[in-house]
Each structure stands twice: as structure tokens, then as C-alpha cells.
Amino acid sequence: MPNTPNESSVVHIVDDDVDLGDGLSSVLRSVGLNAKTYRSTQEFLRADDLDAPGCIVLDIRLPGTNGLDFQEELVGLGVRLPVILMTGHGDIPMSVRAMKAGAVDFLPKPFRDQDMIDAVTAAINRDRLQRASEQQAVAIVDRYATLSPREREVMALVTAGKMNKQIAGELGLSEVTVKIHRGAGMRKMGARSLADLVRMADTLKDRTR
Amino acid sequence: MPNTPNESSVVHIVDDDVDLGDGLSSVLRSVGLNAKTYRSTQEFLRADDLDAPGCIVLDIRLPGTNGLDFQEELVGLGVRLPVILMTGHGDIPMSVRAMKAGAVDFLPKPFRDQDMIDAVTAAINRDRLQRASEQQAVAIVDRYATLSPREREVMALVTAGKMNKQIAGELGLSEVTVKIHRGAGMRKMGARSLADLVRMADTLKDRTR
DNA sequence: TCATCGACCATACCTTCGTGTGATGACATT
DNA sequence: AATGTCATCACACGAAGGTATGGTCGATGA
């Protein structure tokens, strides 16, 4: 299962060397992977499938942009695809910087085809895992968005483990009102038990960090 | 706060070049850090303060052992100290491997004193964070160890969000018995609310992974 | 053998939770 | 003016949770 690259995943190859990009493309296609090539970061950013499953294979020396800088910019641009960096003239500090920034791998050119295949496979797996947890988290955030302000206050205290009576005291409400907000919160969040709700609350907190 | 290295932290420098080790030592001491030097991994492993807060500065080319291999062995040996690697003859694949294995940094020699100070500071901070969460987790595991088998079964279903009645059904017990085990579990775990207990259960699961 | 501990259950009692009915007032939108 | 949402509360009832009393049974260990 870990070595089952999904056909629906797209490998975005960003390299100004067209020959290398095409070569890489066919290597990846030969193992059943979709590949798209771009000659610049600008061209890449115009692609319409940056939200689709996949990963990025990024050259460091690019016209205009630096690959390492671009890797860090991607976060701000909302592109969460795992990144593999490659370079013909890299050094250790560059690779360390890239890995610290979360790169999946850093391959000096020339590299063996198999090394790139392994890196891409790992990247796509990482993307799959990211997506799975992201999907869950987004669903929870969406539901949380439907809560009224008061409901959120109450749910916060509920997930902190307080009793309805305490919550009523802290918010200056009657216990009945707390129960109503609590019930509404559970329904809106789709929580079938308090344990459920606590875990959702923790997921929400993780996303804020 | 992030740049406040604790004096109680020990920087373990493992390098067969005594001059370099001593030089590093005095640099680190000059910024208020404790440093100890070792000429081999064997000597390092004989140290008695491997459980104390700190980090490891490890040379890759060492007599007998390879620094990268040793870094990976440390996990099996139960040494959780963050590792900084340094080398005079390293290449990119080495640095990538080290970073993948969780190294804090990878410095090619010669490096600037400040770079090492920064790396050590980051490593000690990481250690501090690790220790904080580790401490919490160990406390929970210890308390969990005092639960009887039945209590664990019940608590598992409780934290899964099931009602006492359901739990009684699944385990073939009366509801009262479930309540007793549940109460005992809460007391032994030191949970003041169900929310507390759910979070403890999740912490326990994280450690199994 | 006696003590201890884990597991089990009944009965009883109180607390907490969840929900429904019915109602009021504020505010925003249509 | 009418509609809708949010927020509030009283009263009431049944469900679920928590604890205590008191007792049985079997295994373990001093």
C-alpha cells in the first residue's frame, strides 16, 4: 500500500531546463504517475490543479525566483503540496534549510531515476496523509462556523470539562440556557458524545497553532 | 525566552579532534552553556547524565562508529537528546539523511561560532519542549499502569464515547459494575472530568504510535 | 489459614444531563 | 410589518451518571 502511487496525483515539475523536465516526466509516467512541467514558478502558479493531490519537484536555480525562497512562499500562497528540491549546484546549508522548511527530499543533480521515484512516492504519501487529516479538520471548522457566539462560549467551557452549573455561573446564565446552547452545539457539531466533542475541540485548537 | 539557554542543560560534544572539542566547549561556555567533550561514542555512552536536559553535538567521522548511524542508534538506546551533526567531509545526501532522521542542524566544518550557538540554542529549546510533553505523558502512563484489566476495558469504551448501558451490554456486565470501574478509573487516573480523561486516553494512544 | 485484591451485583439515593413546552425581548433582514 | 435568528428563562420529566452500603466469589500471597 505505501508503494501505490495514486494515478490521480499530479507531480508538478518546475525546472527551466526543458529537456530535464521532459525526461523526468517520462520516467515518472513510466511508473504510472501523472507529471506536468513548468519552466518557471510563475507558470506553475497559473496552473489550475494546485489544490489537487500531488507534489512539487522544484529546481533551485530558476529564472527570477530562487527555489528555496519559493518553497517558503508556497505556505503563504496556500499551496500545501509537499516539495522535493533538486539542484545542480547546491551545498549543505541549502539542503539543511530546505529540510527545515519541510521539504520531503533534496536531490543533487545528477540523481538516479529511482531516487526521484522514491522521493515522489514518499511525497505523494505524505500528501495523502496531510489531506486525510486536513479534510477532517476542515469539516470540523465548517461546522464550528455555524455556532453562534454564545454557543461557542458554552462549548469551550464544556470541552474544558466544566459542569453545566459552573458554566451557568461563569457566564451569568441559568442552567437551562446553558443546556440549550450545549445541546445546539452538539447537534451543529455533529458530535454523538462528549468524547467526540472534546476531540473536535482539540482539533480546532491544533489548527490555530 | 526562546533565547534563554538553561544553565542546567549539558551540551555533549562527541568529536575525536580534541582541539576542536575544547574550542567548541569554551565558545559554548562563554555564552553560559555547560559543555562536556567525548572522543568517541563509546565514551559518550558511559556518561551518567544522558537523561538530563541537553543536546548532542556529533561529528560524523568518528573512530569505529559513523555519526549518522550513531544518530539513528540513539533512539534504540533510549537517548532522546536532540542531535546536531557536524562534518568536514560531508555531502548533501548525508545532510538530508540526518535531517530526515530528526537532526536539529547539520553544520559543515568550518562553521562560524554563532551558527553553532544558534543550533545548540534551538536544540536545547527542542529538548525542553520534548521534556515537557514527555513528562506529562509519563505521568499518565504511570497512572494508567495502576488500572486493573477490567478498568482499562471500561475506560476504553468510556473514552470512545459510549454510555454506561452500552458498555455493560458489550462486556456482559450490569450497569452498576460499569459505574464502579468507571469511577475507579477516574480516581486512579486523576481525571476531574470526562474531558480530562478523553485527553489522557488520546495521549496514551499517541505514545503507542 | 487468613488477608488482600479484583471482579461482580442489588438496592437506594442524589446529581447531572438532555429535551420539550411555552414564552419574552433584541436585532437584522426582507 | 413580517420573518428569522439569537439569547434568555421557568417548569417539568425521564435518562444517565456517580456514590455508598452490603454482600459473593475466586485467585494470590504471606
Side-chain angles (χ1 to χ4, degrees):
Chain A
M1 193 72 85
N3 283 318
T4 314
N6 193 331
E7 296 74 34
S8 69
S9 293
V10 185
V11 182
H12 303 273
I13 302 169
V14 187
D15 193 328
D16 62 338
D17 179 341
V18 182
D19 289 343
L20 193 143
D22 289 347
L24 249 180
S25 263
S26 53
V27 166
L28 293 175
R29 285 185 216 279
S30 76
V31 292
L33 285 160
N34 267 330
K36 289 176 66 175
T37 60
Y38 313 86
R39 259 153 305 154
S40 70
T41 57
Q42 289 77 26
E43 192 188 333
F44 164 72
L45 288 175
R46 279 195 295 273
D48 59 346
D49 50 1
L50 301 188
D51 288 331
C55 68
I56 307 174
V57 176
L58 184 62
D59 191 73
I60 288 191
R61 187 171 298 179
L62 286 169
T65 329
N66 170 282
L68 286 176
D69 292 339
F70 186 64
Q71 179 198 6
E72 287 162 9
E73 284 167 23
L74 284 172
V75 180
L77 294 169
V79 180
R80 299 274 185 274
L81 294 171
V83 173
I84 294 163
L85 285 155
M86 53 184 180
T87 179
H89 305 280
D91 55 22
I92 289 178
M94 287 171 97
S95 70
V96 171
R97 176 182 162 193
M99 296 304 285
K100 280 185 184 173
V104 174
D105 217 323
F106 189 104
L107 300 177
K109 295 180 190 173
F111 45 79
R112 289 180 299 148
D113 288 350
Q114 189 57 47
D115 286 344
M116 180 57 83
I117 292 171
D118 289 347
V120 167
T121 304
I124 288 177
N125 273 325
R126 183 187 289 192
D127 183 55
R128 217 190 299 290
L129 292 176
Q130 264 176 210
R131 259 162 220 285
S133 67
E134 185 62 16
Q135 207 177 348
Q136 303 243 342
V138 167
I140 292 172
V141 170
D142 286 351
R143 274 174 268 157
Y144 186 72
T146 70
L147 295 196
S148 74
R150 223 15 168 187
E151 285 163 353
R152 288 178 201 189
E153 283 184 286
V154 171
M155 295 320 274
L157 297 175
V158 167
T159 54
K162 309 223 171 156
M163 288 186 308
N164 290 342
K165 198 185 288 185
Q166 293 178 286
I167 298 172
E170 286 188 38
L171 299 181
L173 302 175
S174 84
E175 206 182 322
V176 208
T177 307
V178 173
K179 289 182 182 181
I180 292 172
H181 289 316
R182 182 176 184 153
M186 292 287 285
R187 234 177 304 111
K188 289 185 181 178
M189 292 302 289
R192 268 175 276 92
S193 66
L194 179 56
D196 257 27
L197 193 75
V198 170
R199 296 198 169 94
M200 289 183 191
D202 288 353
T203 302
L204 284 171
K205 275 193 184 165
D206 285 346
R207 282 181 64 83
T208 316
R209 276 175 228 152
Chain B
M1 193 75 83
N3 283 319
T4 314
N6 193 330
E7 296 75 32
S8 70
S9 293
V10 185
V11 182
H12 303 273
I13 303 169
V14 186
D15 193 330
D16 61 338
D17 179 343
V18 183
D19 289 345
L20 192 142
D22 289 347
L24 249 179
S25 263
S26 55
V27 167
L28 294 175
R29 285 185 216 276
S30 75
V31 293
L33 284 160
N34 267 331
K36 290 175 65 176
T37 59
Y38 313 85
R39 259 155 304 156
S40 69
T41 56
Q42 288 76 25
E43 192 188 334
F44 163 72
L45 288 175
R46 279 195 295 273
D48 59 344
D49 50 0
L50 300 188
D51 287 331
C55 68
I56 307 175
V57 176
L58 185 61
D59 191 72
I60 287 190
R61 187 170 298 181
L62 285 170
T65 329
N66 170 282
L68 287 175
D69 292 338
F70 186 64
Q71 178 198 6
E72 288 163 8
E73 283 168 23
L74 285 172
V75 181
L77 294 170
V79 179
R80 300 272 186 275
L81 294 170
V83 172
I84 295 163
L85 285 156
M86 53 185 182
T87 178
H89 305 279
D91 54 23
I92 290 178
M94 286 173 96
S95 70
V96 171
R97 176 182 160 193
M99 296 303 285
K100 280 185 184 174
V104 175
D105 217 325
F106 189 105
L107 299 176
K109 296 180 189 175
F111 46 78
R112 290 179 299 146
D113 288 350
Q114 189 57 48
D115 286 343
M116 180 56 83
I117 292 171
D118 290 346
V120 166
T121 305
I124 287 177
N125 273 326
R126 183 186 288 192
D127 183 55
R128 218 189 299 289
L129 293 176
Q130 263 176 209
R131 257 161 221 285
S133 65
E134 186 61 16
Q135 208 176 348
Q136 303 243 342
V138 167
I140 291 172
V141 169
D142 285 352
R143 275 174 268 156
Y144 186 72
T146 70
L147 296 196
S148 72
R150 226 11 169 188
E151 284 164 353
R152 289 179 201 187
E153 282 184 287
V154 171
M155 297 321 273
L157 296 174
V158 167
T159 54
K162 310 226 170 153
M163 290 185 306
N164 290 342
K165 198 184 291 187
Q166 295 178 285
I167 299 171
E170 287 188 36
L171 299 181
L173 301 176
S174 85
E175 206 181 324
V176 209
T177 306
V178 172
K179 289 183 182 181
I180 292 173
H181 290 315
R182 182 175 184 153
M186 293 287 285
R187 238 177 301 112
K188 290 186 181 178
M189 293 302 290
R192 267 176 277 90
S193 66
L194 178 56
D196 257 26
L197 193 75
V198 169
R199 295 196 169 96
M200 290 183 192
D202 288 353
T203 302
L204 284 172
K205 276 193 185 165
D206 285 347
R207 283 181 64 84
T208 317
R209 276 174 225 151

